[in-house]
């Protein structure tokens, strides 16, 4: 089962996953970098430009998902060097330091909380311009207009985006648009309306983008987790194997699911699934 909570680190999310069954789920691009704990190892999941499938056996994971653009300053590595990669933290930091941190996380009652503490101790002050950029693009603002509002040229914005996100601002905007579409579709919004509201030209444009970024159709993506468990108190419900907003499930009081607008199908939460 996948569970998450907001972190004390601004904009970050603390999460855990203990797989309920066999099989792996795709990690969709989301603009984020994660610090991971898995079977005695500290790893970093870099920013994805395509769906990533974990190729190992099912295992328990803990992680801290940084706000887009926040991790490179803490890690000391530009995001583009981690793009589409999963690397041991020891490849980025001194091995002796990583061994000490691994021992600390191993001894902690809750590894995910230990990851959060580690990040809180090392986090750099947030880059307000980058946060404004993410917020604007997540709302569907045009890249050029956003650059102008930030007082940056197109070249300056591209250079800063490569360092912070691992790709240029147009790719980031495309990825965040996918997240808007997934959030709408999981709430039961018809695909044509989802496309229009998320900022696609039409439903066919949405379908192409979903397939290119996830490797599957939108319907397959939403139904991929048929029958698996979700944390219904925190995120949403699966009714007869189909993801639905809580107010559309027969006999369910929506008040039991306070975040109905953030429906999560186990394994795919706004792009970042449970098994990196």
């Amino acid at each position: 089962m996948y569970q998450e909570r907001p972190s004390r680190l601004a904009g970050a999310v603390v999460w855990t996953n203990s797989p309920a069954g066999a099989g792996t789920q795709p990690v969709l691009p989301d603009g984020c970098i994660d610090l991971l704990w898995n079977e005695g190892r500290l790893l970093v999941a870099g920013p994805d430009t395509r769906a990533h499938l974990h190729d190992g056996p099912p295992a328990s994971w803990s992680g801290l998902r940084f706000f887009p653009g926040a991790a490179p300053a803490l890690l000391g590595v530009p995001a583009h060097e981690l793009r589409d990669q999963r690397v041991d933290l020891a490849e980025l930091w001194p091995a002796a330091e990583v061994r000490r941190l691994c021992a600390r996380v191993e001894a902690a009652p809750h590894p995910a909380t230990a990851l959060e503490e580690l990040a809180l101790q090392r986090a750099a002050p947030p880059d307000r311009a980058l946060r404004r950029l993410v917020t604007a693009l997540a709302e569907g603002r045009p890249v050029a207009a956003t650059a102008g509002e930030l007082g940056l040229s197109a070249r300056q914005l591209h250079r800063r985006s490569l360092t912070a996100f691992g790709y240029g601002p147009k790719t980031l905007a495309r990825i965040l648009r996918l997240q808007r579409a997934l959030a709408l579709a999981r709430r039961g919004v018809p695909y044509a309306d989802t496309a229009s509201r998320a900022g696609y030209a039409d439903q066919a444009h949405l379908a192409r983008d979903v397939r290119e970024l996830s490797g599957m159709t939108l319907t397959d993506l939403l139904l991929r987790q048929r029958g698996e468990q979700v944390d219904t108190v925190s995120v949403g419900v699966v009714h007869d194997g189909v993801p639905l907003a809580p107010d559309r499930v027969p006999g369910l009081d929506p008040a039991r699911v306070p975040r109905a607008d953030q429906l999560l199908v186990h394994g795919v939460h706004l792009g970042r699934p449970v098994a990196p």
Side-chain angles (χ1 to χ4, degrees), residues 29 33 66 101 139 141 191 216:
I33 292 175
F66 292 91
L101 293 173
E139 293 173 350
R141 293 277 294 155
Y191 289 176
M216 63 188 74

Side-chain angles (χ1 to χ4, degrees), residues 55-69:
D55 57 6
S60 294
W61 292 80
S62 299
L64 178 73
R65 183 180 312 127
F66 292 91
F67 187 83

Side-chain angles (χ1 to χ4, degrees), residues 104-197:
R104 175 177 159 187
V105 177
E106 185 82 61
H110 304 289
T113 301
L115 295 177
E116 180 183 32
E117 293 288 349
L118 186 162
L120 285 166
Q121 293 171 6
R122 296 167 178 262
D127 185 321
R128 298 190 183 280
L130 288 177
R131 287 181 177 257
R132 287 174 58 194
L133 171 64
V134 173
T135 299
L137 297 184
E139 293 173 350
R141 293 277 294 155
V143 171
T146 301
E149 292 166 0
L150 295 174
L152 298 173
S153 68
R155 181 173 296 181
Q156 289 172 324
L157 181 60
H158 188 80
R159 183 171 62 248
R160 292 187 66 174
S161 294
L162 284 178
T163 299
F165 311 116
Y167 26 65
K170 290 185 179 179
T171 298
L172 177 63
R174 183 187 183 201
I175 287 170
L176 296 178
R177 181 178 61 188
L178 173 68
Q179 306 313 315
R180 293 196 301 275
L182 291 175
L184 291 166
R186 290 187 186 113
R187 290 164 53 189
V189 176
Y191 289 176
D193 292 342
T194 289
S196 175
R197 291 169 59 179

Side-chain angles (χ1 to χ4, degrees), residues 7 12 16 19-20 69 86 99 118-119 146 176 187 249-250 270:
S7 172
T16 59
R86 272 59 179 161
R99 286 195 297 271
L118 186 162
T146 301
L176 296 178
R187 290 164 53 189
V249 178
L270 297 182

Side-chain angles (χ1 to χ4, degrees), residues 9 22 47 69 77 85 128 162 207 226:
L9 181 65
V77 179
Q85 296 186 63
R128 298 190 183 280
L162 284 178
R226 182 180 297 274

